[in-house]
Amino acid sequence: MLEAVGAERAAHAAAARAGVEVAELSSLDHLRAAADLFVEVWGVRADLGPISPDMLRAFAHSGNYVAGARAGSALVGASVAFLANAGSGYKLHSHITGVTAAGLSKGVGFALKIHQRAWAIDRGLPVVSWTFDPLVRRNAYFNLTKLGATANRFLVNFYGEMADSLNAGDESDR
């Protein structure tokens, strides 16, 4: 219980430093806004977005993590994670997190990840896992240094070819 309280305080502090409010998303309008945010961040057509509003609705409705970071009324970040088998129990697998240009370098991504950690702890999930592109320096720094993650595998071309503006032309190593 104390760990959950500490994690929640840390999440609120990170959000305050970033100038955002982080909260779970559940209404269809908020989920559509999150899907649009991912389309913007990944630079793809709406029909090729990284995750659709209907999938966000399914994840949120079934008890998975779908959250957004708002600066005033503007959604400047969003994150999605789902339950995954951890062998002896469950963990939270963080699938996608994105921050708009307006939220970059302000701590919005960090606030989302710390909120995600508090969410997992509150539900008794001892581990949060995710993939990231290790060849993008800011991703490696953020995940390994800022968040204190440990890398336990290198997955070659994990997602296969990706046609978005961030990954096009590169293998999707994770």
Side-chain angles (χ1 to χ4, degrees), residues 97-159:
T97 299
V99 176
T100 65
L104 286 178
S105 300
K106 295 180 179 172
V108 174
F110 185 73
L112 282 163
K113 290 296 186 177
I114 298 303
H115 183 270
Q116 187 179 80
R117 175 182 175 262
W119 188 95
I121 289 170
D122 189 50
R123 286 155 182 78
L125 301 169
V127 174
V128 178
S129 67
W130 65 91
T131 61
F132 70 92
D133 188 340
L135 300 180
V136 175
R137 183 181 308 172
R138 70 180 183 277
N139 286 350
Y141 173 80
F142 179 74
N143 288 283
L144 299 174
T145 303
K146 189 132 174 131
L147 294 175
T150 57
N152 62 5
R153 281 182 282 189
F154 181 78
L155 306 167
V156 176
N157 205 21
F158 183 71
Y159 295 114

Side-chain angles (χ1 to χ4, degrees), residues 10-152:
H12 285 294
R17 282 190 305 275
V20 296
E21 181 181 337
V22 179
E24 288 183 71
L25 304 176
S26 59
S27 78
L28 197 48
D29 286 343
H30 291 157
L31 297 168
R32 284 183 182 131
D36 290 345
L37 180 142
F38 293 132
V39 164
E40 176 186 337
V41 170
W42 269 262
V44 294
R45 294 188 338 233
D47 62 328
L48 299 176
I51 190 162
S52 64
D54 61 323
M55 286 303 299
L56 290 173
R57 178 70 151 186
F59 280 135
H61 178 75
S62 60
N64 291 283
Y65 180 83
V66 181
R70 290 195 177 282
S73 63
L75 188 68
V76 295
S79 187
V80 178
F82 49 84
L83 296 177
N85 188 332
S88 61
Y90 289 95
K91 66 181 177 181
L92 187 65
H93 180 76
S94 182
H95 176 61
I96 189 169
T97 299
V99 176
T100 65
L104 286 178
S105 300
K106 295 180 179 172
V108 174
F110 185 73
L112 282 163
K113 290 296 186 177
I114 298 303
H115 183 270
Q116 187 179 80
R117 175 182 175 262
W119 188 95
I121 289 170
D122 189 50
R123 286 155 182 78
L125 301 169
V127 174
V128 178
S129 67
W130 65 91
T131 61
F132 70 92
D133 188 340
L135 300 180
V136 175
R137 183 181 308 172
R138 70 180 183 277
N139 286 350
Y141 173 80
F142 179 74
N143 288 283
L144 299 174
T145 303
K146 189 132 174 131
L147 294 175
T150 57
N152 62 5

